[in-house]
Each structure stands twice: as structure tokens, then as C-alpha cells.
Amino acid sequence: THTILVVDVDKNVRSLVKNILKAQDFLIYEAITCKRLLEILLNNDLDFIMIDPKVSDGNVIDYISDIRARTPAPILLTAHK
């Protein structure tokens, strides 16, 4: 089982990604804040991270060095309107 973190404030985006990947036996974590993203990183080994940079408590780009220090998982930054 692969573990993926989806970080996006849009519930529809998180739900779509979760439904597609759960059908393929992925374990999905979700976050809408930088704080929650960092909590998940501290407590879980992740295989992949999908991030919309704009979250409810800031910009994830400001935390990239913290994320990199905690995981070697590939990161996909998604577009933000």
C-alpha cells in the first residue's frame, strides 16, 4: 500500500483524488492547513505529496524546506487560481 498526502482547501478536489486513489488501494491523508500537513509528516511515512500551495493558514511554499527535512517523498505542486 502506498501512502499519499493531499493538501488542498477545496473539499471537492480532495474527495476526487481520494476516491480515485482509494480504489487503487492507496492510503490517503488529507490536510487543509500547513499545521496539519506538518503533523501528518511527523507521524507517517509518505510515498507522495500533492499540494495546492494556498491553504487556509498560509502558503505551503513557505514550508517547503520543513517538508523536505521530514520526508524524501516526491511533491507535486498543483495550480492555484
Side-chain angles (χ1 to χ4, degrees):
T1 299
H2 293 287
T3 305
I4 297 178
L5 171 58
V6 178
V7 182
D8 200 305
V9 294
D10 187 330
K11 182 179 180 179
N12 293 327
V13 170
R14 292 191 324 271
S15 181
L16 175 67
V17 171
K18 183 168 71 171
N19 289 337
I20 291 169
L21 294 177
K22 271 191 163 185
Q24 302 298 319
D25 258 355
F26 286 84
L27 176 59
I28 311 298
Y29 291 98
E30 300 176 59
I32 62 170
T33 65
C34 292
K35 179 181 177 184
R36 181 67 181 135
L37 178 156
L38 295 173
E39 288 172 356
I40 291 169
L41 285 177
L42 284 174
N43 298 307
N44 300 280
D45 291 324
L46 301 172
D47 296 304
F48 188 79
I49 304 170
M50 183 179 126
I51 298 173
D52 183 339
K54 302 287 184 179
V55 293
S56 62
D57 64 345
N59 189 324
V60 174
I61 299 299
D62 298 333
Y63 294 88
I64 287 294
S65 60
D66 291 330
I67 295 168
R68 272 289 139 239
R70 294 178 178 165
T71 182
I75 299 170
L76 170 67
L77 293 175
T78 60
H80 179 72
K81 296 179 186 179

